[in-house]
Amino acid sequence: RRCRVLVGSMARALVVLIGFVYNPLSIVKDRETVDPRYEVLSRVATELRRRGHGVMVLTEGHGAYKRRKPYVLLRDREFGEWPSSGRENAAARTTPDCAVVWWATVEQGLAALPAHTPTVVYENGFTRGDVVVDPGGLLGRSHYLRTLNARVQEAYDDAACRVFIATRVRAGHWSKRPQGDGVNNNDVPADVPAAILGTYVFVPTQKSNDLSVAKFSNITLFALLEQAAMFCTERRVPLVVKIHPHVDDAERALQTTFLERLRRGEDASSSSSLLYLSTAPIDALMRNARLTLTLNGGTIVDNLYTETPVLTTALSLFALTDAVLYDPANVTRGLQQAVDAELPWSDARRLRQRQVVCWLARRSLNVDKSAQENIDVLQAHLQELNASIDLGDVDVGPRYESHPLPEKYRYRVGGEPHHPQRALLQRPQRGRRRRRVI
């Protein structure tokens, strides 16, 4: 359906491979929202083509076809396809110069990517509208895992960072998921007894079968909860748990049942009042907790924004920084060390938390950033792998040029911003013939 030809030797022009994923339920499971990954990268692809770079769309694997929308983008914008169908000549099947793909494409081997091509991965970010990018992988595979603590201190402006954080906080909950209104007028959790405010250990749960747990944690979520309950019972410290808002009904029932079993176990030791379930906003729960405990959940970033103490027990991007406490081997030992030696939370750790927040904001894609700003972010990550990569304007035309599609395949919306779903509806129909599903 499409043929690309080499139009000249463009030394500065690059061919960029992009693997799209689109899932409007990826942030909030019970209603469709904007998928920031698709929104950001579709604009980036258009801008790269305008600058004179070739853009190829990954057409293999889950990331290419989910919800069909990325394929509509491919057809509508006349971008190239990779892997090629084999109908082009050898020159037109040149390997991409760099690639930007969904992290599961690499982590789960969903598609065969070009060998020896600088590749960065992306996924939904930690805060609203963000898309995190990494040249190595996510969590324990991050390119920045061992250097982040030093990187965040470079060229840091504390006054500007404080303003940035305060602005985001004033704008409302920065969490990417709705948190609800479960707070009192003084911003304390409405479903947590006032008598335990400032004394409890808080555990926000994760999906128990999530890849982040299966691949990067030495213990399961349920083992973490059990050990936390034992520690809190022995120390007579309250334990507050919030179940992840994005888990499905079966997972929610599993976690609820397990927590009720822990509560019944406390009944046998006359400690039934020590475990509480809460649905309050996560920032309020963290601000009023003595300590947050998690495996490697994205809620760590909520601790960074609120400058509150957090103990993590599994590898994450932040595990080796001074912004968190980290003990992957023993939950009880980690809790003892945190409670006995690390509290109250020091100013030095609060500073490191702010530094990580502002570094992460600079190095993440975001729906509110311009295409230029997002391309600059991508380029910075790609240059970690190959310093010569330059996604700026090209002096001459694009390296690859697409032949026009037949009229019957054109889904253009003249002059308006790109809306793939609307464009799809404008596809010419022939009588009562059914539309072919790709």
Side-chain angles (χ1 to χ4, degrees):
R1 301 187 185 104
R2 176 175 287 100
C3 182
R4 294 182 300 279
V5 295
L6 193 64
V7 297
S9 177
M10 314 303 176
R12 293 182 56 205
L14 301 179
V15 176
V16 183
L17 173 64
I18 300 180
F20 289 94
V21 63
Y22 176 75
N23 182 1
L25 300 177
S26 65
I27 305 296
V28 184
K29 68 181 179 68
D30 55 356
R31 73 169 186 268
E32 292 194 2
T33 58
V34 170
D35 188 330
R37 301 166 298 183
Y38 179 83
E39 292 297 317
V40 166
L41 288 174
S42 60
R43 298 175 200 165
V44 164
T46 301
E47 174 63 14
L48 286 173
R49 183 159 177 85
R50 186 201 66 77
R51 294 182 179 194
H53 298 289
V55 176
M56 305 176 82
V57 176
L58 180 64
T59 56
E60 277 189 349
H62 180 67
Y65 290 106
K66 190 167 188 180
R67 307 287 190 197
R68 178 189 169 110
K69 193 170 183 177
Y71 196 82
V72 175
L73 172 71
L74 167 67
R75 294 287 303 279
D76 188 42
R77 298 296 182 87
E78 299 185 25
F79 294 142
E81 302 175 33
W82 197 94
S84 60
S85 61
R87 290 191 292 268
E88 299 92 341
N89 58 42
R93 293 200 294 269
T94 302
T95 299
D97 296 292
C98 56
V100 182
V101 299
W102 184 41
W103 83 286
T105 305
V106 175
E107 189 66 40
Q108 297 181 288
L110 299 179
L113 297 173
H116 312 299
T117 296
T119 300
V120 297
V121 300
Y122 69 86
E123 179 56 300
N124 281 318
F126 301 101
T127 55
R128 188 175 302 169
D130 275 346
V131 178
V132 65
V133 182
D134 199 289
L138 301 187
L139 300 160
R141 302 201 203 286
S142 173
H143 174 81
Y144 305 107
L145 177 65
R146 301 189 181 282
T147 62
L148 184 62
N149 200 58
R151 286 174 183 266
V152 300
Q153 301 176 59
E154 298 171 358
Y156 173 70
D157 184 335
D158 191 53
C161 185
R162 286 174 181 271
V163 170
F164 169 79
I165 294 174
T167 301
R168 273 205 155 183
V169 170
R170 281 197 304 269
H173 297 299
W174 56 86
S175 174
K176 63 184 177 184
R177 294 188 176 94
Q179 293 292 322
D181 299 324
V183 292
N184 295 325
N185 292 334
N186 53 352
D187 201 31
V188 299
D191 55 4
V192 175
I196 69 170
L197 295 177
T199 66
Y200 61 84
V201 172
F202 171 52
V203 179
T205 72
Q206 298 171 235
K207 300 176 186 178
S208 62
N209 60 348
D210 197 75
L211 281 177
S212 61
V213 178
K215 288 185 176 289
F216 300 105
S217 178
N218 296 326
I219 63 171
T220 66
L221 169 67
F222 300 110
L224 176 88
L225 290 169
E226 188 168 27
Q227 292 180 49
M230 291 175 58
F231 174 84
C232 289
T233 299
E234 291 173 0
R235 292 281 189 117
R236 303 293 298 170
V237 173
L239 175 64
V240 176
V241 178
K242 178 174 183 177
I243 295 177
H244 192 298
H246 197 53
V247 297
D248 58 29
D249 293 338
E251 174 75 7
R252 180 174 295 277
L254 182 65
Q255 293 189 19
T256 302
T257 300
F258 183 83
L259 289 167
E260 288 300 326
R261 183 178 69 79
L262 287 180
R263 199 197 302 267
R264 287 196 298 272
E266 291 178 349
D267 288 340
S269 59
S270 302
S271 307
S272 60
S273 63
L274 292 181
L275 195 156
Y276 303 86
L277 288 179
S278 175
T279 59
I282 197 166
D283 58 324
L285 288 166
M286 288 176 173
R287 286 193 176 102
N288 290 278
R290 190 176 188 182
L291 173 73
T292 298
L293 171 66
T294 183
L295 293 169
N296 56 2
T299 55
I300 294 172
V301 174
D302 295 277
N303 285 107
L304 304 184
Y305 267 89
T306 55
E307 298 182 24
T308 51
V310 55
L311 169 64
T312 70
T313 63
L315 271 178
S316 69
L317 171 62
F318 317 106
L320 305 185
T321 71
D322 297 331
V324 304
L325 303 174
Y326 175 59
D327 191 329
N330 190 308
V331 175
T332 301
R333 182 183 64 193
L335 285 168
Q336 290 173 343
Q337 174 69 15
V339 171
D340 296 339
E342 295 289 348
L343 299 180
W345 205 230
S346 69
D347 289 341
R349 290 196 180 275
R350 293 175 188 272
L351 171 62
R352 189 71 78 248
Q353 288 178 318
R354 293 194 299 273
Q355 290 172 332
V356 173
V357 164
C358 289
W359 182 91
L360 190 63
R362 292 194 305 271
R363 299 299 289 264
S364 294
L365 309 175
N366 190 281
V367 294
D368 293 328
K369 290 182 179 179
S370 66
Q372 166 71 55
E373 292 171 318
N374 283 321
I375 288 174
D376 289 345
V377 170
L378 280 178
Q379 179 170 291
H381 289 292
L382 284 165
Q383 287 179 343
E384 292 286 332
L385 304 174
N386 184 340
S388 67
I389 291 176
D390 185 353
L391 300 178
D393 287 328
V394 176
D395 291 336
V396 198
R399 184 175 181 178
Y400 290 103
E401 186 176 82
S402 297
H403 285 306
L405 290 174
E407 185 63 33
K408 64 179 180 180
Y409 290 129
R410 298 195 179 198
Y411 309 152
R412 299 207 175 272
V413 183
E416 298 182 6
H418 176 56
H419 297 287
Q421 298 289 1
R422 184 192 310 167
L424 181 62
L425 296 175
Q426 295 190 358
R427 179 179 180 177
Q429 302 292 314
R430 294 184 177 180
R432 303 178 68 85
R433 183 179 177 182
R434 294 180 63 185
R435 183 173 63 198
R436 181 162 60 94
V437 177
I438 301 173

